[in-house]
Amino acid sequence: MNYPAQSSAAPVSMAPIPILMYHNIAPAPRDIRVYRSLYVSPRAFARQMWLLRRLGYVGLSMTAAAPYLRGEREGRVAVITLDDGYADNLQAAMPVLQRFGFGATCYVVSGQIGQHNRWDAERLGVSKPLMTAEQLREWHAGGMEIGAHTRTHPRLTQCDETQLRNEIHGSKAELEDLLALPVSQFCYPYGDYDDRVVGMTREAGFAAATTTHRGRAIPGTDPWRLPRIQVARHHLLPQFGMKILSGYEDRRE
Ligand SMILES: [Zn+2]
């Protein structure tokens, strides 16, 4: 989906592009031990999307935003990404995104479809359902994009050559076979990557990859090391606005 730049928006020639990073769109469970911050409530998510629109932004998937990220097209755009493929993304985030006419990319762990967050359930003390194949089809039919996030959510820099290929090439093939769709976007689990991981991701035929480096993306910069802005449970609406509009998140490595 491509949206023209809104005419009401101020001119923002080659302005930085915020790529927002979400995980769960749900109330945080009370008993969770750590990482409650990975939850954004459906209400807060709706308010954030409202503010984005109010500020003149159009929320796009990674693929729809690609011409803007390459600096070939100008407009007031933000990218909405959701990591891991939780079922709550479909149930709680998609209706909100649709209400605002926004797109988004959900990065799916292809070896755990319809299962749960096996890679960190024990550490977090919570088992969270991941979208089934049918739910992923619903997500796509709703106008949203599916990207790859490996097969098992490992730390990629610690994988040997065979594992690396299996996780990166394998996740693309697995999702494309299952969904009969091209999958061109990738996200490094834990933001863990190095030159070898980037090389394998390019070789696999992806178009871009996102990290957990903080900051807004500058049009024309390295598509294999795209920074993002994490939106967490404790961020209040004014802080969210500041992250989008200002250099607050930039240069905070
Ligand atoms: Zn992840």
Side-chain angles (χ1 to χ4, degrees), residues 93-108:
M94 192 165 87
V96 174
L97 293 164
Q98 288 175 330
R99 196 188 319 151
F100 291 99
F102 289 177
T105 298
C106 181
Y107 296 113
V108 172

Side-chain angles (χ1 to χ4, degrees), residues 38-54:
L38 294 179
Y39 287 83
V40 170
S41 76
R43 264 186 65 136
F45 183 72
R47 282 197 300 262
Q48 289 161 5
M49 295 303 107
W50 170 84
L51 183 61
L52 265 189
R53 229 259 292 266
R54 192 66 203 259

Side-chain angles (χ1 to χ4, degrees), residues 151-188:
R151 299 191 67 228
T152 67
H153 207 282
R155 291 192 177 273
L156 289 172
T157 61
Q158 288 164 28
C159 291
D160 68 26
E161 206 66 9
T162 309
Q163 291 169 322
L164 199 59
R165 180 173 298 276
N166 181 39
E167 291 286 351
I168 298 176
H169 286 248
S171 64
K172 189 173 196 293
E174 210 158 39
L175 288 173
E176 288 181 342
D177 286 353
L178 182 73
L179 304 164
L181 293 169
V183 173
S184 63
Q185 299 296 327
F186 189 76
C187 173
Y188 310 111

